[in-house]
């Protein structure tokens, strides 16, 4: 049994998560993927980019694509205010910015606080959801940000870059 316990904890997505809000829901991503959090600035548009790619910004000489997750998740028309932030992520060998409504905190979740994501059916793609974190009255939708950003419909990060 001792070997099984460590295997269970190895597959349970426990750890530190950056909690952020999109619409009415609160999400969490692995804090180790986060490089920095910046205030929102209007990016430079790129021709023929998908709607959810707002454009690019120059981050200390690095051109970073900016993805608006509210558009990606069909959460209505985004509005930009003083709470809107861009989470700069390190995904594979790429740097990507993710626009969210607001960032709340960094939360530590123990394995027993993480429940598996429910099977919702084929109407909603839940491949990038790794579980639901519960903290008192809060529930965080935990996202595998590598899997989400490298999905074919995003086209931002090559899957081979993640394997390296």
């Amino acid at each position: 049994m001792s070997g099984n316990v460590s295997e269970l904890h190895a597959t349970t997505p426990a750890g530190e998560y950056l909690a952020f809000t999109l619409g009415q829901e609160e999400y969490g991503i692995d804090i180790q993927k986060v490089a920095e959090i910046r205030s929102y600035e209007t990016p430079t548009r790129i021709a023929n980019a998908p709607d959810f790619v707002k454009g690019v910004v120059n981050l200390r000489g690095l051109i970073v694509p900016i993805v608006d997750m509210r558009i990606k998740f069909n959460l209505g028309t985004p509005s930009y205010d003083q709470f809107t932030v861009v989470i700069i992520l390190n995904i594979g060998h790429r740097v990507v910015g993710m626009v969210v409504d607001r960032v709340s905190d960094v939360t530590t979740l123990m394995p027993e606080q993480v429940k598996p994501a429910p099977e919702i059916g084929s109407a909603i793609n839940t491949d990038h959801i790794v579980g639901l974190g519960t903290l008192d009255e809060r529930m965080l939708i935990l996202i595998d940000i590598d899997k989400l950003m490298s999905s074919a419909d995003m086209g931002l990060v090559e899957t081979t870059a993640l394997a390296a």
Side-chain angles (χ1 to χ4, degrees):
M1 176 78 185
S2 63
N4 292 345
V5 171
S6 63
E7 287 173 27
L8 173 69
H9 290 291
T11 59
T12 303
E16 290 191 314
Y17 290 88
L18 177 67
F20 62 89
T21 306
L22 290 171
Q24 301 301 312
E25 303 302 327
E26 202 169 12
Y27 296 82
I29 56 173
D30 183 347
I31 191 67
Q32 295 178 2
K33 300 292 178 186
V34 177
E36 64 182 280
I37 299 168
R38 300 174 53 87
S39 58
Y40 180 78
E41 59 185 77
T42 304
T44 303
R45 289 286 301 160
I46 301 292
N48 300 320
D51 287 347
F52 57 84
V53 177
K54 297 299 293 178
V56 296
V57 296
N58 184 338
L59 182 63
R60 294 181 294 281
L62 186 64
I63 302 302
V64 178
I66 303 297
V67 175
D68 193 316
M69 298 310 288
R70 297 167 296 189
I71 297 171
K72 175 67 182 148
F73 289 163
N74 294 318
L75 297 174
T77 304
S79 62
Y80 303 94
D81 61 25
Q82 72 271 22
F83 299 110
T84 305
V85 296
V86 178
I87 302 171
I88 304 296
L89 303 165
N90 288 315
I91 307 291
H93 297 292
R94 293 286 310 268
V95 176
V96 178
M98 178 172 81
V99 180
V100 300
D101 290 334
R102 60 192 39 83
V103 169
S104 40
D105 57 6
V106 175
T107 303
T108 301
L109 294 173
M110 296 290 122
E112 60 274 10
Q113 292 175 292
V114 179
K115 308 294 181 234
E119 292 296 323
I120 299 175
S122 60
I124 302 171
N125 182 355
T126 57
D127 287 348
H128 58 273
I129 298 176
V130 292
L132 299 173
T134 54
L135 284 156
D136 302 320
E137 299 301 312
R138 291 170 69 191
M139 185 176 299
L140 293 180
I141 301 167
L142 304 178
I143 296 177
D144 181 336
I145 199 66
D146 285 328
K147 195 177 276 187
L148 176 64
M149 290 296 179
S150 63
S151 63
D153 63 326
M154 293 291 268
L156 293 173
V157 179
E158 305 79 31
T159 49
T160 53
L162 294 177

